[in-house]
Amino acid sequence: MASIPSTGTPADRPGRPASPFPEDADPRFVFRTLLGRTPLAFLRGIAAGRGHESEAVRAPTLAGELTDQLDDMLSLAAVRKELSDEDRLALGLFGLTESRSWPLAGLRHTLKALAVDADAVIAGLVRRGLLAVDLPPEIEAADPSHAITAEASGDLEIWAHPSLTSGGRPRLPAEPPAATAGSVVQVRESDGLEPILRLAALWQRTGAGPLRRTQQGVLYKRDRERIEEDGVLSAAVDDALVELPALPTLWIGLARRVGLIHVDPGDESLQAAPAEFWTENAVHLPQMIASAWLGIRSWNEWADPTPTADGPAPGPPLAFLRPAALLWLATLEPDAWTTLDDLAARLDAVAPGWERITFEDPASPAATNPRRLKNPNRRGPALTREAQAARVLERILLGGAYALGLVRVGEEKETNRRAVQLTPLGRYVLAVGPPPPPRPTFEHFLFVQPNLEVIAYRQGLTPPLVGRLSRFAWWSKIGAAVELRLTQESIALGLEWGLTASQILDVLSQHSQRALPGSVKDAVDRWADRREQVTFYSAATLIEFNTRAERDQAMISWEAEGAPRRPFVAVGDRFLLVENAQEIPTARISTTASRDYRLPPERCVAVEADGVTLTLDPARSDLLVEAELARFADEGPPPSSAPSRAGGARRKFLVSGASLDRAADAGLTPPILADWFRRRTGEGPPPAVRLMMRPAPTSGGAKPWPARRLLILTAPSADLLDGVLQHPETRPLLGDRLGPVSAVVPEESIDRLRIALRAFGLEFELG
Amino acid sequence: MTRANARTPVKLHKNVTLIRTSEPVIAEELLARKSLGRLILARLSETVLLVKPDEADAAVDELRKMGHTPRVAR
C-alpha cells in the first residue's frame, strides 16, 4: 500500500515550493497582491486596455483599482464581453475544479488537451489583468506575460479573480470524439455512494481523534498507520472497474477539499468538521466531491505522489487531464457513447503527448517506441505509448469518474471496445445538464442485529442518511452491503455531535426492517448514561462569590430568570460552574476581578518581610496558584476581617521546613520552586526560604560556623564614639563599629585602650 | 439602587480546564490513576477536579484509556 505522503498545501502541489500565501487567504487579496508586484508600466497597459483612467503612481494602488473593477458589475460585464471562447474555457477551469489557482504547467496541459493554444490564451489573459502570476521575488520586476513563457515557468502558480471564475459554463471543444455507431451493451453505472461512504468513515475517524501532522504537513506515524491500516479507508472500491492506488490519500484529499475535515490553525492537525456539515451539504455532496476530484492534486491515478530524489513525482499531468477528459465527453449528445480508443484518438489529434505521466516526459514520443520511465524498478515495466494512453484514460474514466458516478461504462457490441458516456450527474457537474434526479429510496433499509451490528442495504442509502448514521455508528465494512457497528465510542461520538440517546434510537427504529432488539436499546441507554458520568470542560467559566449564601442566592435567581442550556453547577463553597460563558447573566454581576487561564499566570503572590509568609492578592490570583502553594506551604489562619470583595481576603501561606520536605517528596525540586517564585512573585525565593531549601549537609562534611564572645564598648554618645574611632591614638585599638554608640574591642587591646582613653579624661569599666 | 437590581460582586475564572464526575467515587478513581493524577492540579470539590491548562488533550486521552467516554464541553 502506498503511504500517505502529506496532507497539506505542499502535497497538493507535489515537488513545488510552498505558496507564500496562507491556505485560507482571500483570493481577491492574493490576486491584488500579485498584480501589485508587477511593474507599473505593465499595469498602466492593462488600465489603458480597459479604458480605465487613473492617477495612481504606485503599482499596488493601480493594482487595487484594477482588481476592484472586476467586482463592479458594469466593468465586469464589459470585461466578460471581450472574452473569447478560449478565454472562457481557461477561466472556467478554475470554477469547474473549484481551484483558486492552477500551476502554469497544469493549466497548459489541460488547455492543450482541449485543443486550445494554451500559451497564447494564458498570456492574453495575463496581459489584460484577468490572471495574476505568482512570480518568484527575483523576477517580480519582469513583465509576467513574458515570464510565463520562460522554460522553467511551469512551476509558477496562476491565480484568477473569483468574479471571473464563477458563473457560466466553460466553452466546450468544437469537434467531439467519434460517437459509437452501434449499440452499447453490458452498461454499468455506480451508485456514486462509494466516495461518500469513505469520506463519512474518514470524518468519523477524524472526529474520534484528530490526525496530527508535522510542520511539513505529513501525518505522524501513529495517525498515518491508523488511516492506512483502517479496513474501510484502505480497502479497494468494491465495484471498481480499475483499481486505484493510495486510496487513503485520495479520501483525505477529497475530504479536505469539500470541507469534511479541516486544518486546525492551532496545531495544524486535521479535525472533523462539525456535524452540521451534513445537514447543510449532504444533498450537494456528490457534486462537491466531483468538483473536488476534478481539482485534486495531492493524489493522482498513477502512483504515490511523493516527490522522489530523481525528479518530480509522476502523475501531475494526470491530475490536469481529468477535466479535459470529461469535457470531451460533454461534447457528445446526452445519449451518445464514445469508446476510449476514439477519445484517445481525438486527444492524439489535438495534443500529442497528452498521456504522459510526468511533465518531464517528451511531449511527442514516437508511437511505436517503447518509452522507459526514469525509474523502471519503481514504476513497473515500460509501456508502449498506446498502452500508456489506454491506461491513463481507464484510470481516470473507469477509475475515479466511474466510482463517483460521473460516467457510465459499457461495451461496443460489434468491437467489444470499452465505451463511456456521462451520467446525468456528470453532465450536471460539467454544467451541460440539469440537476440529476434524486435517488429512489426506501425507508426500511437497516437490519439491526442484537449483537449491535447493523447491515445497511445500499439502495436505501442517500448522502443525508449516510451523514446521520455516521454520527453514531461506526462504518466497519463497505461493499455490496454496508456494515456498521454500534460501540460505546461511536455512541459517545454521536452524543458529542449533538444527538441524544433517544434520537439515535429513533434513527435506527425509523429505518430498521424490524423492531429494535432490546439489547440495542439497553446498550445505547447505558452508554449514554455512562458518558454523563464524566464531563471534561476544556474552557469552562467558574464564578467565584464572596460567600456561599451569595452563590446559592444567585444560582436560584438566575435560573428562575431564564434556564441556561446546561444548568449551573455549584462547586465547593463559593464557586459556580458555567459551561458556556455566553450564559453568564452579566447584567446581574459586578466583576471585581477576572482571570483567563489561557494567558500566562500572573504575579499574584507577595513575600512578607519575614521571608516565609506568602500573601495572595485576591484580585489577581487564580485557582492554579492555590493548588501550587498547597504543595509547598501551609495556609495560615484566616484573617479576622470579612472579605470586602469577591475572591476573599488576602490569604496567607507559610513556608516551613516541614512543608518544603513535603514538596520535595512530591518531586518539587529547588529549581522548580525557584521558577515558581519568579513567575508568581517576580523574584527568586527569599533568603529565608533558600535557607530552608538548602540540601541537608552530609554527616561530618559541613564545616561549623565560627562563633566567639566579643567585648563591646558602649559610649555615652555617638559623637564621643565618633571621636574615639577617628583619633589615631585610639582607632587601632578598636574593632568594628556595631552601632551608633557601640564598637568591638579586641581582647588584647583592652588595657592599651584604657590608658589611651585616660589621656582624654575618659574611663570605662568592664561589665 | 434597589436590592433586586443589585449586582453581585464576583470574580471570574475564564477558560478553566476541569473534570466533573457524577459521583465522588469516580473522582477518587481518576485521582488514583497515576498517569491522570499528575495532570490534575487540585480537587475543587468532591466531584470537580482542576486540570493543568496545557494538558487538556492528554487528560482526555487518559480518561478514554481508562474506559470512560467523557462528554467533552469545548
Side-chain angles (χ1 to χ4, degrees):
Chain A
M1 184 195 308
S3 65
I4 300 171
S6 168
T7 54
T9 303
D12 223 27
R13 305 180 303 166
R16 295 170 44 71
S19 166
F21 297 104
E23 208 171 327
D24 57 352
D26 176 6
R28 279 179 176 76
F29 166 78
V30 177
F31 187 87
R32 177 187 291 118
T33 304
L34 294 177
L35 218 52
R37 290 178 188 168
T38 55
L40 185 60
F42 175 78
L43 294 176
R44 283 186 172 146
I46 296 172
R50 293 190 200 168
H52 173 68
E53 293 181 5
S54 171
E55 295 178 356
V57 293
R58 294 176 59 247
T61 309
L62 185 50
E65 293 174 10
L66 293 170
T67 306
D68 291 344
Q69 259 199 328
L70 298 176
D71 280 321
D72 174 70
M73 294 284 282
L74 289 176
S75 304
L76 181 64
V79 167
R80 281 188 187 278
K81 199 175 171 185
E82 298 298 318
L83 293 176
S84 68
D85 283 350
E86 286 76 11
D87 293 337
R88 290 174 200 275
L89 178 53
L91 292 169
L93 289 174
F94 287 80
L96 179 64
T97 57
E98 294 192 351
S99 301
R100 304 182 312 161
S101 66
W102 274 63
L104 178 58
L107 191 57
R108 277 185 189 142
H109 191 63
T110 307
L111 288 172
K112 284 178 181 172
L114 288 164
V116 171
D117 183 352
D119 289 333
V121 168
I122 297 170
L125 290 168
V126 170
R127 269 196 297 274
R128 280 174 282 162
L130 306 181
L131 290 179
V133 188
D134 190 355
L135 294 170
E138 60 272 18
I139 58 169
E140 266 177 11
D143 180 335
S145 64
H146 294 152
I148 59 173
T149 59
E151 193 174 338
S153 61
D155 274 352
L156 297 178
E157 199 74 5
I158 308 290
W159 289 74
H161 190 283
S163 297
L164 292 163
T165 61
S166 56
R169 64 181 198 188
R171 186 217 60 135
L172 298 175
E175 296 176 44
T180 53
S183 58
V184 173
V185 295
Q186 296 187 18
V187 175
R188 291 175 64 174
E189 180 178 343
S190 78
D191 59 11
L193 281 176
E194 201 67 34
I196 295 169
L197 289 166
R198 307 296 183 112
L199 263 56
L202 176 64
W203 175 71
Q204 61 183 195
R205 269 66 165 168
T206 312
L211 301 176
R212 294 183 174 84
R213 304 189 309 163
T214 65
Q215 286 185 331
Q216 289 71 39
V218 179
L219 292 183
Y220 279 112
K221 184 170 180 280
R222 195 182 76 165
D223 287 319
R224 193 185 72 228
E225 288 175 354
R226 181 156 68 95
I227 297 300
E228 285 180 350
E229 293 169 8
D230 187 294
V232 168
L233 297 176
S234 58
V237 176
D238 191 56
D239 186 30
L241 299 172
V242 172
E243 193 171 334
L244 294 174
L247 285 176
T249 307
L250 171 62
W251 308 135
I252 290 177
L254 293 177
R256 285 198 61 192
R257 286 185 76 92
V258 301
L260 253 179
I261 59 174
H262 59 86
V263 176
D264 182 333
D267 62 0
E268 289 292 304
S269 65
L270 295 177
Q271 306 266 355
E276 289 72 29
F277 176 92
W278 290 96
T279 317
E280 294 161 6
N281 300 295
V283 173
H284 309 291
L285 206 49
Q287 298 92 285
M288 292 166 70
I289 294 176
S291 296
W293 172 75
L294 284 168
I296 191 171
R297 295 160 199 166
S298 56
W299 171 89
N300 71 82
E301 289 80 352
W302 202 258
D304 175 5
T306 308
T308 56
D310 60 341
L318 268 72
F320 303 110
L321 198 61
R322 289 181 213 126
L326 261 69
L327 283 168
W328 277 114
L329 294 185
T331 60
L332 295 162
E333 290 300 314
D335 55 351
W337 295 79
T338 188
T339 63
L340 293 185
D341 292 344
D342 289 334
L343 180 57
R346 190 78 195 90
L347 286 164
D348 281 342
V350 298
W354 61 271
E355 78 290 349
R356 57 194 162 143
I357 56 169
T358 75
F359 284 125
E360 281 65 37
D361 283 350
S364 305
T368 53
N369 286 346
R371 180 150 50 86
R372 294 203 66 80
L373 302 174
K374 284 188 175 177
N375 186 346
N377 292 333
R378 182 169 176 271
R379 296 171 194 166
L383 298 171
T384 63
R385 196 205 65 79
E386 291 82 359
Q388 182 166 311
R391 186 173 291 187
V392 164
L393 279 185
E394 281 176 0
R395 291 196 175 194
I396 291 176
L397 295 175
L398 309 189
Y402 174 79
L404 267 63
L406 301 177
V407 299
R408 53 174 73 102
V409 180
E411 269 187 27
E412 195 180 34
K413 194 172 181 184
E414 292 74 18
T415 62
N416 292 337
R417 293 185 304 170
R418 288 275 197 189
V420 288
Q421 175 189 70
L422 284 181
T423 60
L425 174 64
R427 297 188 70 78
Y428 176 62
V429 168
L430 296 172
V432 293
R439 282 168 57 83
T441 57
F442 66 96
E443 188 76 357
H444 304 291
F445 64 93
L446 291 181
F447 183 62
V448 185
Q449 304 184 99
N451 66 357
L452 305 172
E453 287 184 356
V454 181
I455 308 292
Y457 297 107
R458 289 178 79 121
Q459 294 85 343
L461 283 170
T462 61
L465 283 172
V466 170
R468 288 177 79 184
L469 292 171
S470 300
R471 286 199 194 188
F472 63 85
W474 204 251
W475 298 103
S476 55
K477 187 180 172 191
I478 295 175
V482 182
E483 290 179 21
L484 301 101
R485 211 171 48 239
L486 299 171
T487 66
Q488 182 174 342
E489 290 72 26
S490 74
I491 297 299
L493 205 54
L495 297 170
E496 193 132 320
W497 273 328
L499 295 175
T500 62
S502 63
Q503 286 173 323
I504 291 172
L505 292 169
D506 281 349
V507 172
L508 292 173
S509 301
Q510 184 185 348
H511 299 291
S512 177
Q513 295 179 340
R514 292 186 293 191
L516 285 188
S519 58
V520 171
K521 186 176 182 314
D522 289 347
V524 172
D525 286 339
R526 188 173 65 250
W527 289 332
D529 287 345
R530 185 162 168 75
R531 181 171 173 271
E532 292 301 319
Q533 289 181 352
V534 179
T535 305
F536 187 89
Y537 302 89
S538 60
T541 301
L542 282 172
I543 305 177
E544 183 178 356
F545 292 80
N546 272 329
T547 63
R548 181 179 192 131
E550 279 187 7
R551 191 271 312 272
D552 293 346
Q553 176 60 40
M555 197 168 150
I556 293 167
S557 62
W558 294 355
E559 290 191 341
E561 287 169 14
R565 200 175 64 83
R566 287 266 174 191
F568 298 133
V569 179
V571 175
D573 281 343
R574 295 183 294 114
F575 291 97
L576 200 58
L577 169 59
V578 182
E579 185 172 321
N580 181 359
Q582 303 294 323
E583 293 182 335
I584 297 173
T586 48
R588 312 289 287 131
I589 60 171
S590 161
T591 307
T592 57
S594 177
R595 274 287 293 123
D596 188 334
Y597 287 65
R598 285 186 180 159
L599 301 177
E602 283 196 34
R603 292 174 185 170
C604 55
V605 178
V607 181
E608 300 295 325
D610 64 8
V612 296
T613 304
L614 307 178
T615 306
L616 267 184
D617 177 352
R620 298 164 67 196
S621 66
D622 51 50
L623 297 166
L624 308 178
V625 75
E626 291 182 31
E628 293 161 3
L629 275 167
R631 297 174 70 186
F632 68 91
D634 298 305
E635 185 161 6
S640 53
S641 60
S644 58
R645 54 193 295 172
R650 291 181 174 270
R651 293 159 63 194
K652 292 186 184 300
F653 291 79
L654 299 174
V655 184
S656 63
S659 68
L660 288 175
D661 287 346
R662 188 177 71 227
D665 290 344
L668 210 60
T669 61
I672 294 175
L673 208 52
D675 180 58
W676 182 91
F677 270 94
R678 275 189 291 275
R679 284 188 292 111
R680 291 302 199 170
T681 71
E683 293 175 354
V689 172
R690 288 207 303 271
L691 176 66
M692 293 186 284
M693 280 164 54
R694 289 170 47 255
T698 54
S699 57
K703 193 177 172 185
W705 293 5
R708 62 179 184 277
R709 293 189 175 84
L710 295 176
L711 204 55
I712 309 296
L713 175 69
T714 305
S717 69
D719 187 53
L720 278 175
L721 187 59
D722 288 345
V724 174
L725 282 170
Q726 188 176 29
H727 197 280
E729 295 289 328
T730 49
R731 170 66 229 170
L733 305 175
L734 289 168
D736 293 337
R737 187 170 189 164
L738 300 179
V741 294
S742 303
V744 174
V745 182
E747 197 79 37
E748 65 274 14
S749 305
I750 189 73
D751 292 335
R752 285 187 288 154
L753 179 65
R754 189 189 299 277
I755 295 166
L757 288 179
R758 276 180 187 154
F760 302 114
L762 299 170
E763 285 283 351
F764 66 81
E765 58 181 17
L766 291 171
Chain B
M1 185 184 291
T2 64
R3 172 76 180 156
N5 292 330
R7 290 168 175 249
T8 311
V10 298
K11 178 178 176 181
L12 294 182
H13 301 265
K14 298 177 183 171
N15 296 316
V16 190
T17 311
L18 299 171
I19 296 172
R20 184 164 70 90
T21 63
S22 58
E23 303 289 338
V25 68
I26 301 175
E28 300 284 356
E29 178 202 346
L30 303 185
L31 285 167
R33 170 98 166 188
K34 203 170 177 182
S35 50
L36 182 60
R38 68 178 178 79
L39 309 177
I40 293 171
L41 269 176
R43 187 171 185 173
L44 300 182
S45 73
E46 283 192 321
T47 56
V48 177
L49 307 174
L50 177 65
V51 180
K52 290 181 181 177
D54 49 352
E55 300 280 10
D57 289 344
V60 174
D61 285 348
E62 281 301 326
L63 286 170
R64 289 186 174 142
K65 278 183 197 167
M66 292 176 74
H68 291 287
T69 49
R71 181 172 76 81
V72 179
R74 299 188 189 277

